[in-house]
């Protein structure tokens, strides 16, 4: 709702300027600055309440809550009154706890003096009047829980969720409904265009396939149709006079060489003599009269033989006739062999050069398969094959939905191991846990006072979420119970938690901690990387204790990305010094390491067979490495600049927002044959090949107006879900259908 209000305010301002109502516009600007509802932006309302608490402004806090109560809460049904009272009580307790934690006891006593009349009759406040007189209230069993960060975060999240639901249920004016209708119509129009394009594609493929089948069954290439000039009629006369045992197989094999291997479909032959060849059935009935003439001659010879058997002269005449016939057959056989050689020569010449007949329209009697196989060029999966036959796309984009609950650039966006939930983190430190099946719905919202840098789902159980901060802590969050289970202090000297990876067994996780980045000269040429110190630690999830620290040779360096293989026996890491390190998790030592990129390594992943490792680095290269041969490349492919970062979002008046890569820059499908990468307007899907180039573009997902900074791919059976998150806070969820060959 907040985004709709912002857009509507913008349109109203434009309208007032267009009409020249400058006085009304000034009053509108003044009212918007004093707007206590913050344009229905829940995050801004929470920030306002926190600011009043931190400034010990009790009067402002009470006045602001009374305004919200009068403006919003009073319109709710009576059944929600108890929830509003609980939130008000928690807010006041949050204020009191803050005054004690900051050591401002005067503000604590001021609160109880001003609220004594209102609170002394309430049961939940009866024991709180002794709070200012307890020496160490945080150790008191009755008040200890209120001094924990977990209680404060739980309260803020509960208040945030309550206000969010409230704003969604508030009746909207017609003007805001108009904005929603416009968005709905726009999305429906785009969906209709996609469906219309799919229908057109399927109709074209069906028509082309039908034309192709008819062409194969009823039409032959031109050089087969014109067999008369190569002596085909004479060959039929010769073969019709030979025994059936020698005519069937050679004739079929001879003409089968003219048809493409994949197009040899059996054609029902007419009921003629055993001596007839398949060429006669394929070409038609053109030589039927000639065959009938040959059969009539044979019949007359056979019938004439008994009438002449009574005389010796007739026998000698028949013997001489048989001898002459044998001589003629020998001569014809030699002539046939010579013509076959000449025909094979002409056929080779015909196929050795590009025939202009293959470039003509579909109405020509030309089989497109030989021309396609002889082209020598790899087929373009996004285009149509020669002869009009379409090349089958590996994926069909069924739908694309948008998740727009974030209001700043996305850093991480990950699907859990079950494929049911998504966790997304933006640069403001707001985490959204949401589901997309059967409908898109926000399950939990996590807000952190300290900056968050990394995010990872646990594997067992998959409801747990690991959150790495910029102050040296890692939190274990339960998304079902919506509360923090543990908060681990990782390192004070290395406060930035850059990467988290949970073992497939779920018993441990790897944590990459780095020191604060040092400033370097950005204008120096050539640019030399400034190494940042780092640690790679292994923590036990059950005991919540550190197990060990890995050795990073030749020097401790910041690890940017980590990934386990399927059973957790291997761990691959990419570092700021451009080195990839492979660790043996059974011995907890480095198995091998090699320099992979010029600059930092941004993202690493194991291949589907886990014999290779893929990496993307600061040099803009997508490289496949053989893990059995240290430092040996399988393939090397340069990616576009908008696929590897740093990502730039330009605004008005020369404003630019620059973001370095944090999340995953590429993700594979379930079979490891296709990879999803970032781009300036949406995700790009490539086919991974063993040839050059290593990546072959297959499909562009599109849909974004800002650069995509992180991706993820969740695959299930034939349908897969691609997640692409951009710098404007939008996350596109594209559902694909894999076409199995």
């Amino acid at each position: 709702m907040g985004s709709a209000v912002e857009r509507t305010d913008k349109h109203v301002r434009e309208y007032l300027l267009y009409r020249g109502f400058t006085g009304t516009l000034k009053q509108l600007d003044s009212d918007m600055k004093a707007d206590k509802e913050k344009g229905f932006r829940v995050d801004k309302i929470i920030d306002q309440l926190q600011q009043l608490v931190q400034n010990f402004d009790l009067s402002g806090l009470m006045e602001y809550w009374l305004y919200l109560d009068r403006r919003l809460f009073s319109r709710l049904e009576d059944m929600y009154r108890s929830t509003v009272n609980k939130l008000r009580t928690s807010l006041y307790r949050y204020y009191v706890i803050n005054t004690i934690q900051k050591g401002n006891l005067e503000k604590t006593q001021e609160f109880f003096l001003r609220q004594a009349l209102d609170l002394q009759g309430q049961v939940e406040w009866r024991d709180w009047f002794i709070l200012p007189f307890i020496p160490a209230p945080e150790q008191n069993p009755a008040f200890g829980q209120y001094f924990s960060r977990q209680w404060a975060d739980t309260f803020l999240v509960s208040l945030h969720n309550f206000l969010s639901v409230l704003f969604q249920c508030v009746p909207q004016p017609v003007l805001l409904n108009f904005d929603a209708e416009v968005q709905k119509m726009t999305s429906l129009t785009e969906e209709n265009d996609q469906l219309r394009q799919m229908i057109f594609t399927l109709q074209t493929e069906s028509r082309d396939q039908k034309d192709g089948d008819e062409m194969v069954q009823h039409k032959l290439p031109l050089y087969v149709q014109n067999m008369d000039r190569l002596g085909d009629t004479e060959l039929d006369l010769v073969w019709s006079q030979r025994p059936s045992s020698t005519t069937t197989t050679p004739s079929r094999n001879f003409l089968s060489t003219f048809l493409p291997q994949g197009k040899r479909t059996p054609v029902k032959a007419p009921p003629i003599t055993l001596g007839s060849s398949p060429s006669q059935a394929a070409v038609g009935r053109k030589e039927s009269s000639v065959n009938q003439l040959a059969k009539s001659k044979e019949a007359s010879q056979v019938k004439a033989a008994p009438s002449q058997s009574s005389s010796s002269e007739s026998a000698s005449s028949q013997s001489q006739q048989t001898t002459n016939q044998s001589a003629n057959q020998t001569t014809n056989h030699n002539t046939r062999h010579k013509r076959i050689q000449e025909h094979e020569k002409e056929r080779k010449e015909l196929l050795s050069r590009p025939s202009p007949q293959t470039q003509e329209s579909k109405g020509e009697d030309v089989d497109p398969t030989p021309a396609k196989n002889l082209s020598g060029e790899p087929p373009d999966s996004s285009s149509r094959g020669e002869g009009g036959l379409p090349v089958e796309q590996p994926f069909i984009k069924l739908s694309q939905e948008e998740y727009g609950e974030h209001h700043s650039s996305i850093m991480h966006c990950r699907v859990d191991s079950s494929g049911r939930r998504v966790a997304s983190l933006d640069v403001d430190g707001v985490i959204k846990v949401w589901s997309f099946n059967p409908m898109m719905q926000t399950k939990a919202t996590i807000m952190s006072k300290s900056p968050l840098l990394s995010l990872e789902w646990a594997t067992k159980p998959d409801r747990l979420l690991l959150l790495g901060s910029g102050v040296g802590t890692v939190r274990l969050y339960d998304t079902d119970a919506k509360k923090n289970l543990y908060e681990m202090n990782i390192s004070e000297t290395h406060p930035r938690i850059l990467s988290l990876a949970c073992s497939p067994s779920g018993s441990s996780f790897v944590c990459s901690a780095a020191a604060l980045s040092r400033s370097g000269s950005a204008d120096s040429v050539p640019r030399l990387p400034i190494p940042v110190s780092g640690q790679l630690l292994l923590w036990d999830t059950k005991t919540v204790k550190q197990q060990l620290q890995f050795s990073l040779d030749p020097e401790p360096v910041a690890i940017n990305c980590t990934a386990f293989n399927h059973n957790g026996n291997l761990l691959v890491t990419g570092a700021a010094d451009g080195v990839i390190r492979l660790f043996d998790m059974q011995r907890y030592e480095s198995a091998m390491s090699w320099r992979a990129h010029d600059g930092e390594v941004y993202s690493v992943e194991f291949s589907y067979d886990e014999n290779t490792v893929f990496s993307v680095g600061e040099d803009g290269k997508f490289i496949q490495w053989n893990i059995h041969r240290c430092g040996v490349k399988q393939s090397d492919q340069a990616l576009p600049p908008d696929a590897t970062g740093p990502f730039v979002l330009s605004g008005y008046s020369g404003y630019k927002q620059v973001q370095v890569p944090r999340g995953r820059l590429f993700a594979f499908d379930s079979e490891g044959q296709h990879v999803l990468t970032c781009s300036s307007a949406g995700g790009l899907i490539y086919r991974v090949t063993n040839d050059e180039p290593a990546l072959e573009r297959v499909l562009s997902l599109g849909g974004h107006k800002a650069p995509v900074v992180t991706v993820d791919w969740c695959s299930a059976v034939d349908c897969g879900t691609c997640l692409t998150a951009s710098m404007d806070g939008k996350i596109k969820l594209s559902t694909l259908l894999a076409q199995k060959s």
Side-chain angles (χ1 to χ4, degrees):
M1 183 176 181
S3 58
V5 170
E6 289 182 0
R7 285 191 296 269
T8 305
D9 291 343
K10 180 181 177 182
H11 295 329
V12 171
R13 287 176 54 85
E14 291 179 356
Y15 176 76
L16 293 178
L17 285 174
Y18 173 75
R19 294 296 306 273
F21 298 154
T22 56
T24 307
L25 180 60
K26 290 180 181 180
Q27 185 63 35
L28 176 63
D29 292 338
S30 177
D31 292 341
M32 290 177 63
K33 290 180 181 179
D35 180 22
K36 293 184 178 182
E37 297 172 3
K38 306 299 180 183
F40 295 97
R41 290 281 299 273
V42 180
D43 51 345
K44 291 186 177 181
I45 294 177
I46 299 296
D47 291 342
Q48 179 67 26
L49 291 173
Q50 286 186 286
Q51 184 179 358
L52 294 173
V53 171
Q54 297 298 329
N55 294 336
F56 309 109
D57 188 359
L58 180 59
S59 300
L61 183 64
M62 296 173 59
E63 181 183 354
Y64 193 63
W65 184 262
L66 288 175
Y67 173 81
L68 294 177
D69 189 20
R70 185 171 56 254
R71 181 76 170 84
L72 300 173
F73 304 150
S74 61
R75 302 181 181 182
L76 297 176
E77 299 179 5
D78 294 338
M79 59 183 298
Y80 298 108
R81 177 52 55 181
S82 60
T83 303
V84 175
N85 293 334
K86 290 180 181 179
L87 291 175
R88 183 188 61 182
T89 301
S90 299
L91 178 63
Y92 287 166
R93 288 178 177 178
Y94 183 63
Y95 173 83
V96 173
I97 296 299
N98 180 69
T99 58
I100 296 177
Q101 288 179 335
K102 298 296 178 62
N104 197 337
L105 295 180
E106 295 180 359
K107 293 293 182 180
T108 307
Q109 295 175 358
E110 178 191 358
F111 173 82
F112 285 105
L113 288 175
R114 295 184 58 178
Q115 298 294 321
L117 296 177
D118 296 336
L119 302 181
Q120 63 183 357
Q122 301 181 15
V123 179
E124 58 268 17
W125 284 99
R126 183 174 301 169
D127 298 334
W128 281 72
F129 284 91
I130 65 172
L131 186 62
F133 308 101
I134 299 178
E138 63 274 4
Q139 299 179 2
N140 189 286
F143 303 103
Q145 60 174 336
Y146 298 103
F147 287 87
S148 64
R149 182 181 294 180
Q150 177 180 349
W151 181 87
D153 291 343
T154 303
F155 161 65
L156 293 175
V157 171
S158 300
L159 181 58
H160 186 283
N161 293 340
F162 181 78
L163 292 175
S164 299
V165 175
L166 177 61
F167 288 152
Q168 293 294 332
C169 298
V170 170
Q172 298 182 2
V174 178
L175 199 58
L176 290 182
N177 288 331
F178 171 76
D179 183 82
E181 291 295 330
V182 169
Q183 288 188 347
K184 183 178 180 180
M185 290 300 298
T186 303
S187 62
L188 290 177
T189 302
E190 294 177 354
E191 184 178 359
N192 289 338
D193 292 340
Q194 294 176 0
L195 294 176
R196 195 176 294 110
Q197 184 65 26
M198 289 174 55
I199 293 175
F200 175 76
T201 303
L202 293 175
Q203 289 178 346
T204 305
E205 292 179 357
S206 176
R207 183 173 60 254
D208 292 344
Q209 184 66 31
K210 182 178 180 181
D211 294 342
D213 294 341
E214 293 179 355
M215 179 171 56
V216 170
Q217 294 176 3
H218 303 290
K219 299 179 182 179
L220 293 176
L222 292 180
Y223 58 83
V224 179
Q225 291 184 354
N226 296 330
M227 286 289 290
D228 283 346
R229 66 182 181 87
L230 301 178
D232 187 59
T233 303
E234 298 179 6
L235 294 179
D236 289 334
L237 290 175
V238 174
W239 281 100
S240 63
Q241 298 173 0
R242 299 192 62 180
S244 61
S245 60
T246 61
T247 57
T248 304
T249 303
S251 176
R252 182 174 65 252
N253 292 339
F254 169 66
L255 282 181
S256 64
T257 59
F258 297 122
L259 294 176
Q261 187 68 24
K263 303 296 184 180
R264 296 177 189 171
T265 57
V267 181
K268 186 175 180 181
I272 57 178
T273 62
L274 294 175
S276 62
S277 65
S279 63
Q280 293 170 315
V283 174
R285 306 181 181 274
K286 184 170 59 176
E287 291 94 322
S288 57
S289 59
V290 179
N291 293 336
Q292 292 175 359
L293 179 61
K295 288 188 291 183
S296 63
K297 289 182 178 180
E298 286 184 353
S300 61
Q301 291 174 359
V302 172
K303 292 178 181 179
S307 62
Q308 295 176 0
S309 59
S310 59
S311 62
S312 60
E313 294 179 358
S314 299
S316 61
S317 175
Q318 183 178 4
S319 174
Q320 186 176 1
Q321 183 179 2
T322 303
T323 303
N324 294 336
Q325 184 177 359
S326 300
N328 292 335
Q329 287 182 356
T330 303
T331 304
N332 291 335
H333 179 73
N334 295 334
T335 305
R336 169 187 170 278
H337 184 68
K338 182 177 179 181
R339 293 183 182 278
I340 290 176
Q341 291 180 345
E342 293 178 355
H343 171 68
E344 287 292 337
K345 182 178 179 181
E346 291 187 13
R347 179 173 175 271
K348 290 181 180 180
E349 292 178 357
L350 179 65
L351 297 178
S352 63
R353 63 178 184 272
S355 174
Q357 297 169 349
T358 62
Q359 307 296 331
E360 295 176 359
S361 62
K362 298 179 183 178
E364 294 289 338
D365 301 333
V366 181
D367 193 343
T369 307
K372 180 178 179 180
N373 295 337
L374 293 172
S375 61
E377 298 180 358
D380 184 4
S381 59
S382 61
S383 63
R384 301 177 65 85
E386 292 189 26
L389 293 177
V391 179
E392 185 179 12
Q393 292 280 359
F395 299 102
I396 294 178
K397 186 169 70 171
L398 300 179
S399 64
Q400 187 175 72
E401 301 175 80
E402 178 181 294
Y403 183 79
E405 292 296 322
H406 288 279
H407 304 289
S408 58
S409 179
I410 307 297
M411 294 174 59
H412 294 273
C413 185
R414 297 298 303 272
V415 186
D416 66 355
S417 58
S418 64
R420 296 184 293 112
R421 284 170 294 213
V422 180
S424 50
L425 166 65
D426 60 29
V427 296
D428 290 339
V430 178
I431 299 174
K432 299 285 186 178
V433 180
W434 47 284
S435 62
F436 54 85
N437 191 10
M439 60 179 296
M440 195 173 291
Q441 183 180 9
T442 301
K443 299 294 185 180
T445 300
I446 311 169
M447 294 182 295
S448 175
K449 296 180 181 178
S450 57
L452 296 178
L453 301 179
S454 54
L455 174 150
E456 178 68 12
W457 284 100
T459 52
K460 296 179 182 180
D462 59 2
R463 70 176 188 275
L464 301 181
L465 194 61
L466 291 168
L467 306 175
S469 70
V471 293
T473 61
V474 172
R475 280 190 285 170
L476 189 62
Y477 184 83
D478 191 331
T479 58
D480 287 347
K482 299 181 181 179
K483 64 179 182 179
N484 291 322
L485 300 181
Y486 302 105
E487 183 167 357
M488 296 155 273
N489 294 317
I490 304 298
S491 175
E492 295 181 357
T493 59
H494 299 79
R496 296 190 302 140
I497 309 302
L498 297 182
S499 178
L500 295 167
C502 191
S503 172
S505 64
S507 60
S508 61
F509 69 90
V510 169
C511 168
S512 167
L516 296 176
S517 59
R518 306 177 221 172
S519 59
S521 174
D523 299 331
S524 58
V525 179
R527 178 178 177 269
L528 297 176
I530 300 177
V532 178
S533 176
Q535 296 177 346
L536 187 62
L537 310 172
L538 181 66
W539 279 69
D540 191 297
T541 308
K542 297 180 180 179
T543 63
V544 199
K545 293 182 179 179
Q546 179 180 327
Q547 288 184 329
L548 59 92
Q549 178 177 346
F550 293 93
S551 175
L552 300 177
D553 296 327
E555 60 179 354
V557 67
I559 301 295
N560 292 333
C561 47
T562 53
F564 280 99
N565 69 333
H566 79 285
N567 56 11
N569 292 335
L570 294 177
L571 173 72
V572 62
T573 65
D577 58 357
V579 175
I580 291 180
R581 295 170 174 85
L582 190 67
F583 292 91
D584 185 350
M585 296 304 293
Q586 295 179 334
R587 300 181 179 181
Y588 299 113
E589 62 182 18
S590 176
M592 64 179 67
S593 62
W594 64 91
R595 180 167 295 278
H597 293 273
D598 295 333
E600 300 188 25
V601 181
Y602 286 150
S603 192
V604 291
E605 292 289 341
F606 279 97
S607 62
Y608 178 73
D609 57 7
E610 298 186 352
N611 290 320
T612 60
V613 169
F614 290 89
S615 65
V616 169
E618 189 178 3
D619 53 5
K621 293 183 178 180
F622 181 79
I623 305 178
Q624 183 181 11
W625 305 92
N626 191 331
I627 64 174
H628 303 292
R629 301 172 62 187
C630 182
V632 175
K633 297 181 182 179
Q634 294 277 104
S635 63
D636 188 345
Q637 178 75 36
L639 292 176
D642 56 1
T644 58
F647 305 102
V648 180
L649 179 62
S650 301
Y652 297 103
S653 303
Y655 168 78
K656 287 186 178 181
Q657 179 183 351
V658 181
Q659 179 176 334
V660 297
R662 293 291 187 190
R664 299 178 67 178
L665 297 183
F666 63 94
F668 290 99
D669 65 344
S670 59
E671 299 179 354
Q673 298 179 357
H674 298 84
V675 61
L676 172 65
T677 66
C678 304
S679 75
S680 60
L684 289 179
I685 297 180
Y686 295 89
R687 179 184 290 109
V688 181
T689 66
N690 296 324
D691 303 325
E692 292 295 335
L695 296 179
E696 179 184 350
R697 179 168 171 174
V698 171
L699 180 64
S700 175
L701 300 180
H704 284 276
K705 298 180 181 179
V708 173
V709 295
T710 183
V711 299
D712 202 1
W713 196 330
C714 173
S715 300
V717 195
D718 288 343
C719 290
T721 302
C722 293
L723 294 173
T724 54
S726 60
M727 293 185 69
D728 58 359
K730 307 299 182 185
I731 301 175
K732 296 291 184 179
L733 191 143
S734 303
T735 303
L736 305 180
L737 176 64
Q739 301 193 79
K740 301 297 182 181
S741 58

